[in-house]
Each structure stands twice: as structure tokens, then as C-alpha cells.
Amino acid sequence: MPLVSMNEFLPKAKANKFAVGQFNMNNLEFAQAIVDAAIEENAPIIYGVSEGALKYMGIEYTVAIAEAAAKKSGLPIALHLDHGSSFEIAMKCIRAGFSSVMFDGSHYSLEDNIRLTKEVVRAARAMGVSVEGELGTIGGVEDDISVDEEHASLAKPEEAIRFYEETGVDCLAIAVGTAHGMYKGEPKIHYDIIQKVVDAIPVPVVLHGGSGVPDEAIRLSIQAGVGKINVNTENQVACTNTIREVLAANPSAYDPRKYLTPAREAMKAVVKEKIRLFGSSNQA
Ligand SMILES: [Zn+2]
């Protein structure tokens, strides 16, 4: 199956109250772990690729790996630019074969965010590519960008509804209390904001910073109308902790396959658990 836009599965996710996982791809082992978990769960998935990961892997390798995973699995898989910062990077990804892009204009004024997001939607739609927009500022550390809690601001439901109506995005990331990276305490999710926005627009809300959110909070978010959840940090932690353990136990090991194989298995276990929690098993 070729890569698909998120519209292949997000409308169904919203109607049937489940969420599709966006798992970030950082290298070949991440991509394999994610798709192997999806195959076992028969689930649709989204490969998220940040601009930093794109620089690390190279755009040609990124697209080739995602296309190989989609072809091998036969599953609906979207290749999605995560937190795209400009019209240019979104177009570069679409030209290279991405089936979905996020334009993150959350650091602009509402008027500018709407205007710039609209431009991306117009161009992407013509190519059959889905678009995610962002409103409000999600805290934490993503790539090299850090937003402290003071500058993270919750989305205002009436602004989110207006943002949707004017841009026509296919899903909308709104700041509702989660953060990127590792949590110090438990995140306080504002379900009322999710509910208010979802009730007023036909597309699902996206929850960023899904790593480390307690299972019950994830379930409540999905009930409130979250249809896409992003996970990256938990896979990074599983990968790195496993490599650390293997190397500590075998200080003379030198073959990367000896530590990358168990690291890949650990990430696959994380992804399988998330897919089940999100309710997207057997939704492919
Ligand atoms: Zn994010």
C-alpha cells in the first residue's frame, strides 16, 4: 500500500472514539519497531518526523524507509512532518513524498497563524496531503526548541474553533496541558477545552506530548475527542535504557546489532501497548 493521508483514518477515529498514534521516526530501528507493532495490532499509524530528525536521517532515506514499511505491512501509514516551521519546509516534504504535514504557527499571532496555515492547507490539499495546525503553545522540549511552563499557554476554545473554520485543517493540535519531553509531575489535562472544541468542529483534536501521560488520562482525552496522540520520548527512553543495560552487562560488545536488536524490541513493546491503549488495534 502506498503512504496515505491522515484522512484515510482520522474521520473514522473521531466517529468511533479511538486515537491513531503518531510515533516519531528517528532512525531505521524506530521505523521497524513501530511498523512491526502496527502489523501485530493491525493498526493504522502515523510516522512523525521532526525537522531535526529529517536533518539527521536525510529526506530521501526518510521517505524510502516509510514507503518500504507501508508496502511491506499493507497498513494505512501516513508520513507526517512534525512541527513544520515554514511553508517552504512543508512544500519540500510534500515534494519528497510525505503524505501529511503539520504547520506549527503557534508562535505567531492568531491572525498570522491563520493566514500562514491557510497557505499550507491550500497547497497541500491540491496534492492530497493532510494538514495539522497548532493553536496555543505546548510546553516542554522538542528538538532544540524549549518552551518553559510560563510561556506555554492553553488554547482558547473560541479561537480554536475560528482557527478551524478559517483554515480547514484536517486535525488540530491545541495546548490543553500536556508537554513535550519528560514530565516532572503529572500533567493536568483540560478535558473541557478538548470537548468544547471537538463538539464544534468536524475534525479531531491532537494530543502532543503523549509520553508519560497516565493511561486513565489518555482514555479520558480520547473520550473527550482526541483522535491522534503523539509519542516520541517513551520510545527514546526505551531505546537508550536498553542500550545502556546491554552495554553495561557486556562491556566488550562491539557489534551494533547486539544492542540495537533488544532496543528495537523494547520500542516495539512500547508501541504495541500504546496502540492498545489508544483503541486503534484492528482499525486498519
Ligand atoms: Zn509536538
Side-chain angles (χ1 to χ4, degrees):
M1 194 170 193
L3 292 168
V4 297
S5 107
M6 295 196 294
N7 288 321
E8 197 73 21
F9 42 71
L10 285 189
K12 192 170 139 194
K14 172 149 180 163
N16 298 348
K17 295 236 164 176
F18 66 89
V20 178
Q22 173 188 308
F23 301 99
N24 282 49
M25 186 206 287
N26 295 292
N27 62 19
L28 176 65
E29 282 73 19
F30 272 70
Q32 292 171 321
I34 294 160
V35 79
D36 286 350
I39 290 170
E40 286 182 20
E41 291 298 321
N42 188 32
I45 45 153
I46 300 156
Y47 276 132
V49 182
S50 68
E51 288 185 29
L54 205 54
K55 226 179 274 170
Y56 175 78
M57 290 187 285
I59 198 163
E60 299 86 356
Y61 290 108
T62 303
V63 173
I65 290 170
E67 283 177 344
K71 190 176 167 198
K72 182 189 171 219
S73 67
L75 295 171
I77 297 179
L79 176 60
H80 180 71
L81 170 66
D82 193 19
H83 292 280
S85 63
S86 67
F87 180 83
E88 288 71 25
I89 185 74
M91 292 310 115
K92 190 178 171 194
C93 286
I94 293 172
R95 276 197 301 271
F98 277 57
S99 60
S100 190
V101 292
M102 173 181 188
F103 175 71
D104 178 356
S106 60
H107 44 287
Y108 291 103
S109 68
L110 177 63
E111 303 304 323
D112 284 348
N113 189 0
I114 288 175
R115 182 175 54 80
L116 294 164
T117 304
K118 250 164 106 170
E119 284 176 18
V120 175
V121 170
R122 195 179 304 131
R125 189 148 292 159
M127 305 288 288
V129 168
S130 50
V131 178
E132 172 180 350
E134 176 170 331
L135 198 70
T137 315
I138 297 161
V141 183
E142 175 93 15
D143 273 354
D144 303 328
I145 307 150
S146 164
V147 178
D148 57 39
E149 272 166 41
E150 223 176 297
H151 293 96
S153 57
L154 294 173
K156 295 185 183 72
E158 58 281 6
E159 286 187 2
I161 294 161
R162 185 185 149 208
F163 181 90
Y164 168 76
E165 284 169 350
E166 295 194 20
T167 61
V169 287
D170 300 294
C171 58
L172 181 55
I174 53 174
V176 291
T178 54
H180 295 120
M182 298 288 276
Y183 291 100
K184 287 185 198 91
E186 242 184 51
K188 191 181 174 316
I189 299 177
H190 297 257
Y191 306 105
D192 55 322
I193 300 179
I194 300 172
Q195 191 80 57
K196 255 187 211 154
V197 174
V198 166
D199 285 350
I201 67 175
V203 301
V205 155
V206 181
L207 194 70
H208 281 240
S211 294
V213 176
D215 289 1
E216 192 50 27
I218 292 286
R219 283 189 204 102
L220 290 170
S221 301
I222 295 171
Q223 276 313 307
V226 162
K228 170 178 181 277
I229 302 177
N230 294 5
V231 175
N232 185 24
T233 307
E234 271 188 57
N235 276 331
Q236 292 181 320
V237 169
C239 176
T240 307
N241 282 353
T242 305
I243 292 172
R244 233 181 239 125
E245 279 163 26
V246 172
L247 291 181
N250 310 278
S252 59
Y254 61 88
D255 181 348
R257 289 171 298 181
K258 293 283 188 286
Y259 54 83
L260 289 175
T261 301
R264 193 167 59 192
E265 284 302 315
M267 290 190 279
K268 183 180 157 189
V270 170
V271 175
K272 277 185 76 165
E273 210 184 286
K274 295 296 179 197
I275 287 173
R276 288 181 189 166
L277 173 63
F278 298 169
S280 56
S281 301
N282 296 316
Q283 296 287 358

